[in-house]
Amino acid sequence: MALSEVSEAHLPNAVSEAVSGAVSVDSAPTPPPMGDLYHYLTEHQLHDVVIDPADPQLLQLQWSDGWQQPLHALWLREQCVCDECRHVASLERILDQDGYDLDDLPALITVEADQTLLIIWADDGHVSRYSAGWLRHGGRPPNLSTLPQTWGAELTEGMPRFDFTALLSRDDVLLDWLEALRQTGLTYVTDAPTTEGTVCDLARRIGNIRETNFGSVFEVVALAESISNAYTAVELPLHVDLPAREYQPGLQFLHCLSNQTSGGNSLYCDGLHLAKVLRAEDPAAFTTLVRTPVLFRYHDQDCDYQNIAPVIELAPGGGIRNIRFNPAVMTTADCAASKFREFQRAYRCFLRLTRRPDLQAETRMQPGEIAVFDNRRVLHGRRAFAAQSGRRHLQGAYVEWEDVDSRVRVLRRYLG
Ligand code: OGA
Ligand code: ZN
Ligand code: ZN
């Protein structure tokens, strides 16, 4: 049996009974620790375990709701978390995965009164214990399973807003904010101080800042000698940042310290929405943007970053994983001459979608606001401004999604 068969997809109530707090265990005996900081709980009773007569390594757990859960004996052997198999402090495996017989079998297997599955292994007499809750979850931590909500111009009015002070002081507000970010990919944090470095205080509430060639914090001000269009007063068409990086930054922060110029409004588009609109309206253009590699390049005196990847990247399951759209650093499509016209047509379709008013949110950043958005999904831009008309200063930073997701999992451990 493939390990993938022991997945949440086979769990009827995987999401609802995911973690601690979901089920009351006041009266239940303490289950054996499963080498995990999650407390795997289940409301279902583990009745029995049946061994396949044709293959004694194939086991089937019998649950009170009728689910017959298939498991392989070797999978259980590998997952053992006794003190000899998992380091008690690090929770990491110390078991030698080549240290037991590939034909190993339970010499004894039984469901104990406290719902623990007890196995004594034939190979070496090793004793393993598995809690019912952990077994019910196939030994897998709950996934984050947030469904993205796509948006258009209505986000100008409906922007999800979160108070800076509450975010810094309250974990429940922090979790709500991160969940909102996972859903809409764009939020505004309000009433932040207008002091330099504040963006780091917010970013570090999540985790590490992703440092780039522009610094750990980048200064968005109009300069005479600029290394990026961002540091001028010109219009910035809707784009994602740093697609020339192999690992395009996940989350972007832009903190407004002052905005006294005429012009310079902020624009946002949901790239996920755009890609879905394109797929519906012009499937051929969508496929071209998925299949055509594009050379993205950013270079200055000190660096030369290059990345070849499509404008729309799909995940293995077919979902839209990454939008890489940035006219300023999109060098050229990496395709045969005979395919170039079709690429241009498809690219322009996407470009026109970024300009469609019903798909764009527009707002004027106020000092003390911090825009936070998914830089692999949401396009951002700004209208041109008159550099001489007053000061405009934003400070930006990046954080990776893996750090956001880690923070969400840790917060959910006790906030549910
Ligand atoms: C940037 C950027 C937007 C702005 O710095 O990457 O897009 O409003 N700035 O200046
Ligand atoms: Zn063990
Ligand atoms: Zn940008």
Side-chain angles (χ1 to χ4, degrees), residues 82-96:
C82 77
D83 296 0
E84 290 168 36
C85 293
R86 208 62 84 94
H87 191 281
V88 280
S90 74
L91 306 180
E92 291 181 355
R93 179 177 288 118
I94 46 179
L95 165 73
D96 175 1

Side-chain angles (χ1 to χ4, degrees), residues 77 79-86 95 121 126-130:
R77 182 71 183 85
Q79 301 306 309
C80 182
V81 290
C82 77
D83 296 0
E84 290 168 36
C85 293
R86 208 62 84 94
L95 165 73
W121 296 96
H126 192 82
V127 178
S128 304
R129 288 193 163 80
Y130 310 88

Side-chain angles (χ1 to χ4, degrees), residues 218 230 236 239-241 252 254 326 373 375 380-381 398:
F218 52 91
L236 291 182
H239 66 281
V240 299
D241 276 13
Q252 179 166 175
L254 282 174
N326 186 326
F373 48 91
N375 186 56
H380 64 288
Y398 305 109

Side-chain angles (χ1 to χ4, degrees), residues 194-334:
T194 51
T195 44
E196 295 194 6
T198 295
V199 69
C200 299
D201 299 335
L202 182 62
R204 292 209 178 96
R205 256 312 248 156
I206 300 174
N208 301 310
I209 292 175
R210 158 96 182 260
E211 192 165 354
T212 72
N213 56 301
F214 297 107
S216 54
V217 171
F218 52 91
E219 309 286 342
V220 186
V221 280
L223 302 171
E225 295 287 320
S226 171
I227 57 167
S228 163
N229 287 352
Y231 311 152
T232 69
V234 303
E235 177 198 356
L236 291 182
L238 283 145
H239 66 281
V240 299
D241 276 13
L242 313 197
R245 297 305 194 97
E246 182 182 9
Y247 200 41
Q248 181 176 314
L251 204 62
Q252 179 166 175
F253 294 66
L254 282 174
H255 176 205
C256 179
L257 299 172
S258 60
N259 194 6
Q260 296 156 347
T261 53
S262 65
N265 273 11
S266 304
L267 297 165
Y268 304 97
C269 256
D270 184 352
L272 179 61
H273 191 190
L274 264 52
K276 287 183 173 176
V277 169
L278 186 65
R279 181 156 56 186
E281 290 182 354
D282 192 335
F286 177 86
T287 304
T288 299
L289 292 186
V290 166
R291 294 214 178 132
T292 312
V294 171
L295 172 63
F296 295 94
R297 184 182 193 200
Y298 173 83
H299 69 309
D300 65 13
Q301 297 304 322
D302 304 317
C303 66
D304 193 340
Y305 290 100
Q306 300 184 15
N307 186 30
I308 298 181
V311 170
I312 300 173
E313 182 185 327
L314 301 185
I320 294 158
R321 172 149 76 188
N322 198 141
I323 303 293
R324 259 181 225 93
F325 188 81
N326 186 326
V329 297
M330 179 281 213
T331 302
T332 186
D334 196 17

Side-chain angles (χ1 to χ4, degrees), residues 6-49:
V6 189
S7 75
E8 287 182 341
H10 290 256
L11 303 177
N13 299 313
V15 176
S16 63
E17 67 174 6
V19 283
S20 57
V23 181
S24 166
V25 285
D26 289 350
S27 54
T30 312
M34 293 309 302
D36 194 319
L37 297 171
Y38 289 106
H39 300 288
Y40 295 91
L41 303 173
T42 180
E43 63 199 5
H44 303 290
Q45 298 292 306
L46 180 54
H47 280 167
D48 201 1
V49 53

